């Protein structure tokens, strides 16, 4: 988990904060991102984004399964972060 300083009285979107934070990732690291991070591709890191449904079509069963898998991992990670922040 990473933390960054945001100026007092200023709110910032997660992607904007990630863009200005200089974090170095290793090639074997994988980032699980939400759709709010679309377009964020740090050097050397692999990124996993959910597949967005194209307007006139349905997602295939494989795409739906992939999105469910990512969502289940994200939920578990967010629960750990929430428990950590309560301490």
């Amino acid at each position: 988990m990473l933390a960054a300083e945001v100026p007092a009285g200023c709110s910032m979107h997660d992607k904007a904060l990630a863009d200005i934070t200089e974090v170095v990732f290793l090639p074997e690291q994988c980032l699980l991102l939400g759709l709010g991070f679309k377009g964020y591709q740090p050097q050397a890191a692999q990124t996993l984004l959910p597949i967005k449904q194209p307007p006139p079509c349905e997602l295939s069963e494989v795409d739906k399964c992939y999105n469910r898998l990512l969502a289940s991992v994200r939920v578990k990670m967010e629960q750990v972060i929430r428990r950590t922040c309560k301490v």
Side-chain angles (χ1 to χ4, degrees):
M1 184 164 63
L2 300 172
E5 292 289 322
V6 177
C10 176
S11 64
M12 201 173 228
H13 189 274
D14 293 341
K15 183 183 178 300
L17 186 60
D19 286 337
I20 64 168
T21 305
E22 296 178 17
V23 180
V24 178
F25 295 98
L26 301 174
E28 60 271 8
Q29 288 178 308
C30 188
L31 301 177
L32 180 58
L33 305 173
L35 288 175
F37 282 88
K38 193 169 186 172
Y40 180 66
Q41 181 62 53
Q43 287 185 346
Q46 300 173 25
T47 57
L48 295 174
L49 278 166
I51 298 169
K52 192 172 179 179
Q53 178 176 326
C57 305
E58 288 282 322
L59 286 177
S60 70
E61 285 303 314
V62 172
D63 291 343
K64 289 178 185 180
C65 185
Y66 173 80
N67 284 350
R68 275 189 233 112
L69 177 67
L70 290 184
S72 68
V73 172
R74 283 184 59 201
V75 165
K76 288 179 178 77
M77 291 171 61
E78 289 170 1
Q79 289 171 348
V80 169
I81 292 169
R82 185 182 69 229
R83 281 189 223 123
T84 304
C85 292
K86 284 184 177 181
V87 174

